[in-house]
Amino acid sequence: MMKLYGYWRSSAAYRVRIALNHKGLTAEQISVHLVKNGGEQHQSSYTALNAQELVPTLVISNDNGQELALTQSVAIIEYLDEVYKGSSLLPDNAYDKAIVRAMSLTVASEVHPLNNLKVLQYLASELDITDSAKTEWYHNWVIQGFTALEQQLAQYSGDFCFGDSITLADLCLVPQVYNAERFKVDMTPFPNIVRINAHCLTQQVFIDAMPENQHDAS
Amino acid sequence: MMKLYGYWRSSAAYRVRIALNHKGLTAEQISVHLVKNGGEQHQSSYTALNAQELVPTLVISNDNGQELALTQSVAIIEYLDEVYKGSSLLPDNAYDKAIVRAMSLTVASEVHPLNNLKVLQYLASELDITDSAKTEWYHNWVIQGFTALEQQLAQYSGDFCFGDSITLADLCLVPQVYNAERFKVDMTPFPNIVRINAHCLTQQVFIDAMPENQHDAS
């Protein structure tokens, strides 16, 4: 059985949980507590699997029964999508695929990297900025990314980010909205994002992946 | 003919230039000056193509002759790799592909987003940090990402990041090293990165894509 090293509140782990559910796959869920004990992601037992000291890591077995570790949520999801056929998370057409990947990377390469735990910790500890400056920082990148995404969604969305099927873009969007709501970002300027997020959260594959529904939620 | 909106010093545009060269493709190069006039990427003529106000954008023509804009360098490169067969930028095997994508995203989703122009501008203008704190910020994320990448390369590299063929990972690595050298990051702790970068820069497809060899270099 695959093993997913994650954390209930990690946006990147949340993406992979939705992908597993969407593909009807089960993985043993192993919690890496990102805060307790100075962050379990920094312990050598974990860094041997993930040199970046980030969650998630998906451990799979190859044909020889050897365990292999996959890192970077988007790379993991592309792997799952290629290996487990049926209800693909990317459209067939190359151009459409590029649009879905671009939407996904708007979240995964533009918004999330600026607002994840290690960055917020650095801002507080090394740059000694105030809580309100940290909140402004957080909001700034979410608003910038969501503003661009909202325009793409106006053009391409249906019930989901790209038409009426779940794609990689939805897997990136929903955890980012969860995160933005935690940090009290005003979502009023983003009606398409709000609508799609709400629709996704009526789907069992998203519900089962929600942070609050994980065994390590506290 | 395709049109690539880029800027000589942009790491993300540099990635796409290497991909085009690797595939033997020609695109009209259109310069979007990221600094002059407050940044041409913010002008409405460009934001109509790229709502994120980032370079690169690749404009392609579909079968009906309609122009379509692709954004996000990694999504653009995946598109080019799928549509233009021959010397693929990703390995065949799904697991290998996941490793190459993870290496690529270590740069594209972890290092680069924290150190690009808009972030450095925010640190200076909004957080009013000193130049030395800005340099420390820059170095911190490069060192963190390169430390992880160096470990992956120790396991997977040959002449290039993954074995002896050029992949997406090399396209992400070389521009990031160029950028790190501009900011005077000590590369001594990263012998595999230094070796692979040097080897890549003996290849014509990389040489032709180098910032200094672009028409808008100054």
Side-chain angles (χ1 to χ4, degrees):
Chain A
M1 194 200 271
M2 292 187 280
K3 292 180 206 166
L4 179 65
Y5 290 80
Y7 182 61
W8 64 291
R9 254 184 179 165
S10 154
S11 297
Y14 187 178
R15 294 174 197 154
V16 176
R17 290 196 301 264
I18 306 166
L20 289 167
N21 295 345
H22 182 74
K23 292 285 181 177
L25 299 168
T26 311
E28 183 188 350
Q29 305 277 334
I30 299 168
S31 180
V32 180
H33 201 294
L34 298 186
V35 184
K36 217 167 54 184
N37 307 320
E40 293 178 352
Q41 73 277 24
H42 305 306
Q43 294 176 357
S44 58
S45 56
Y46 186 68
T47 61
L49 286 175
N50 189 316
Q52 289 189 271
E53 308 180 14
L54 294 171
V55 292
T57 302
L58 185 71
V59 174
I60 58 169
S61 295
N62 71 5
D63 295 341
N64 307 321
Q66 189 191 0
E67 289 204 327
L68 301 168
L70 298 179
T71 62
Q72 285 292 335
S73 62
V74 171
I76 293 171
I77 295 167
E78 294 257 11
Y79 169 85
L80 293 172
D81 200 45
E82 178 172 343
V83 171
Y84 299 95
K85 306 290 180 194
S87 33
S88 175
L89 288 162
L90 291 168
D92 287 337
N93 176 282
Y95 175 75
D96 294 346
K97 219 176 277 184
I99 299 297
V100 169
R101 285 196 175 111
M103 288 179 180
S104 307
L105 292 171
T106 297
V107 172
S109 290
E110 304 293 339
V111 179
H112 181 68
L114 290 158
N115 286 340
N116 67 13
L117 182 66
K118 64 179 181 181
V119 175
L120 299 181
Q121 283 174 340
Y122 189 99
L123 289 169
S125 66
E126 304 299 318
L127 299 181
D128 199 25
I129 70 171
T130 63
D131 278 354
S132 77
K134 198 167 82 169
T135 301
E136 269 177 51
W137 165 278
Y138 183 98
H139 283 212
N140 181 66
W141 307 117
V142 170
I143 291 167
Q144 202 170 94
F146 277 6
T147 301
L149 194 56
E150 184 68 22
Q151 288 187 45
Q152 293 171 293
L153 294 176
Q155 188 172 357
Y156 294 108
S157 70
D159 286 342
F160 296 101
C161 286
F162 190 87
D164 295 322
S165 307
I166 295 171
T167 66
L168 175 60
D170 302 292
L171 275 54
C172 292
L173 179 66
V174 170
Q176 187 60 63
V177 173
Y178 166 82
N179 208 290
E181 288 174 343
R182 267 183 69 202
F183 284 81
K184 305 195 189 311
V185 173
D186 174 17
M187 294 294 293
T188 320
F190 314 116
N192 281 301
I193 293 177
V194 169
R195 172 181 61 78
I196 292 160
N197 180 64
H199 183 65
C200 286
L201 291 176
T202 65
Q203 309 289 307
Q204 203 61 42
V205 296
F206 286 85
I207 293 169
D208 292 342
M210 285 173 67
E212 291 73 9
N213 296 335
Q214 304 316 303
H215 71 93
D216 58 343
S218 60
Chain B
M1 194 199 274
M2 292 186 280
K3 294 180 204 166
L4 180 65
Y5 290 79
Y7 181 61
W8 64 292
R9 255 187 176 163
S10 155
S11 297
Y14 188 178
R15 295 173 198 154
V16 175
R17 291 196 300 265
I18 307 166
L20 289 166
N21 295 346
H22 182 75
K23 293 284 180 180
L25 300 168
T26 311
E28 183 188 351
Q29 305 278 335
I30 300 168
S31 181
V32 180
H33 201 295
L34 299 187
V35 184
K36 218 167 54 184
N37 306 322
E40 294 178 352
Q41 73 277 24
H42 306 305
Q43 293 176 359
S44 58
S45 56
Y46 186 69
T47 61
L49 286 175
N50 189 318
Q52 289 190 271
E53 307 180 16
L54 295 171
V55 292
T57 302
L58 185 71
V59 174
I60 59 170
S61 294
N62 70 5
D63 297 340
N64 307 322
Q66 187 191 2
E67 289 204 327
L68 301 169
L70 297 180
T71 62
Q72 286 291 334
S73 62
V74 171
I76 292 171
I77 295 167
E78 293 257 10
Y79 169 85
L80 293 172
D81 200 45
E82 178 171 343
V83 170
Y84 300 95
K85 305 292 180 192
S87 35
S88 174
L89 288 162
L90 290 168
D92 286 338
N93 176 282
Y95 175 75
D96 295 346
K97 217 175 277 182
I99 299 297
V100 169
R101 285 195 175 113
M103 288 179 180
S104 308
L105 293 170
T106 296
V107 171
S109 291
E110 305 291 339
V111 179
H112 181 67
L114 289 158
N115 286 340
N116 68 13
L117 182 66
K118 66 178 179 178
V119 175
L120 299 181
Q121 283 174 339
Y122 189 99
L123 288 170
S125 67
E126 303 300 317
L127 299 182
D128 199 24
I129 70 172
T130 63
D131 278 354
S132 77
K134 198 167 84 171
T135 301
E136 271 177 49
W137 165 278
Y138 183 96
H139 283 214
N140 180 66
W141 307 117
V142 170
I143 291 168
Q144 202 171 95
F146 277 7
T147 301
L149 194 56
E150 185 67 21
Q151 289 186 43
Q152 293 173 291
L153 294 175
Q155 188 173 358
Y156 295 108
S157 70
D159 286 344
F160 296 100
C161 287
F162 190 87
D164 295 323
S165 307
I166 295 171
T167 65
L168 174 61
D170 302 292
L171 275 55
C172 292
L173 180 67
V174 170
Q176 186 61 63
V177 172
Y178 167 82
N179 207 289
E181 287 173 342
R182 267 184 69 204
F183 283 82
K184 304 194 192 310
V185 172
D186 174 18
M187 293 296 291
T188 319
F190 313 116
N192 282 301
I193 293 177
V194 169
R195 172 181 61 79
I196 292 161
N197 180 63
H199 183 66
C200 286
L201 291 176
T202 65
Q203 310 289 306
Q204 203 60 43
V205 295
F206 285 85
I207 293 169
D208 291 344
M210 285 173 66
E212 291 73 9
N213 296 335
Q214 305 316 302
H215 71 92
D216 58 343
S218 61

